[in-house]
Amino acid sequence: MKKKQIDQIFTIWQKENPHPKTELNFVNNYTLLVAVVLSAQSTDIGVNKATKALFAKVDTAQKMLDLGEEKLKKYISTIGLYNGKARNVIALSETLVKKFNGEVPENIDDLQSLAGVGRKTANVVLNCAFNHATIGVDTHVFRLANRIGFVDEPNVLKTELALVKAIPKKWQQHAHHWMILHGRYICVARKPKCHECNIFKLCEFKNKTST
Ligand code: SF4
């Protein structure tokens, strides 16, 4: 897709939603990190339900260690894969306390050294906690970016790198959120809602539907 077209799409999204934000609830950088780890293959709504009571009591890595894995599991038992996620949250909290003075580090390598933190999660944390212009590529961003013609790549890493090249710098701070929201609510996986779509004319998907 041409840069001008990409620019037009982001202009539309910005007018519609000038300050897009994550739909995950959190109270500080640590709880943001935990929420993003818990959200893997789960909905933000489901994570928010579980973390409401948890984050009211536990908002630091040390408090999480004091809580312990078994009690943590009780808080998050409604979230898919909660056993493994609880293990990761305890392990990453241990690392934060031991290596990072309890603070969430502000660089991708240190973030990726934490249990349960992959590149997407690291990018989301850098973006939401530290205002880095990173583009976390989750399932929605991957599908949308390749479907509408921003990029044409076979996997998430190549998609992220191609998006960084394709998207004009001025849009990169919020690009991740605009794409997630569009993918989550309009350009959904099975039957995209093309008839409701505000970028219908600019989208290059070959199988757009008019109803
Ligand atoms: S026109 Fe359809 S395929 Fe294209 S972005 Fe909109 S919903 Fe997705």
Side-chain angles (χ1 to χ4, degrees):
M1 187 183 283
K2 292 196 178 102
K3 272 241 166 25
K4 189 176 169 207
Q5 215 167 321
I6 295 176
D7 193 57
Q8 286 172 319
I9 288 174
F10 280 104
T11 302
I12 290 168
W13 286 341
Q14 192 212 25
K15 271 196 191 134
E16 180 191 64
N17 183 4
H19 306 291
K21 289 193 174 69
T22 176
E23 294 184 316
L24 287 169
N25 294 337
F26 60 97
V27 298
N28 56 23
N29 290 354
Y30 172 71
T31 51
L32 169 68
L33 172 64
V34 172
V36 181
V37 168
L38 294 178
S39 73
Q41 295 170 56
S42 302
T43 65
D44 289 1
I45 293 172
V47 172
N48 289 341
K49 270 190 196 155
T51 56
K52 192 172 179 197
L54 175 67
F55 292 163
K57 275 198 165 181
V58 179
D59 59 1
T60 68
Q62 186 57 57
K63 286 184 195 172
M64 190 65 81
L65 295 180
D66 295 343
L67 179 74
E69 190 172 325
E70 290 313 308
K71 283 190 185 156
L72 171 59
K73 280 184 192 171
K74 288 193 179 132
Y75 279 101
I76 64 169
S77 62
T78 52
I79 301 176
L81 309 173
Y82 73 95
N83 281 313
K85 288 176 181 175
R87 211 164 34 244
N88 283 336
V89 168
I90 294 296
L92 75 83
S93 300
E94 254 166 25
T95 309
L96 289 180
V97 169
K98 276 189 195 153
K99 278 184 70 181
F100 300 105
N101 205 20
E103 301 291 324
V104 176
E106 192 182 346
N107 72 77
I108 194 159
D109 292 334
D110 287 343
L111 280 166
Q112 283 192 271
S113 74
L114 301 169
V117 179
R119 191 174 174 95
K120 190 263 317 190
T121 297
N123 276 329
V124 172
V125 170
L126 288 173
N127 183 278
C128 299
F130 300 108
N131 296 320
H132 289 213
T134 48
I135 301 176
V137 178
D138 72 348
T139 177
H140 297 300
V141 173
F142 177 70
R143 179 183 68 254
L144 181 82
N146 284 285
R147 181 186 267 171
I148 72 177
F150 277 174
V151 297
D152 181 14
E153 299 294 345
N155 60 47
V156 289
L157 179 59
K158 286 189 173 173
T159 295
E160 180 197 324
L161 300 177
L163 282 172
V164 170
K165 276 193 192 158
I167 297 174
K169 282 264 177 297
K170 66 175 175 174
W171 302 121
Q172 288 193 14
Q173 179 69 48
H174 295 312
H176 160 82
H177 287 122
W178 281 316
M179 285 190 283
I180 277 197
L181 292 171
H182 200 73
R184 186 176 285 164
Y185 296 112
I186 301 292
C187 196
V188 293
R190 285 203 185 158
K191 196 167 182 286
K193 300 174 186 173
C194 302
H195 58 290
E196 292 179 31
C197 181
N198 56 9
I199 59 163
F200 183 89
K201 286 187 184 155
L202 296 158
C203 168
E204 293 183 348
F205 184 44
K206 288 195 178 66
N207 300 320
K208 281 190 280 191
T209 54
S210 53
T211 55

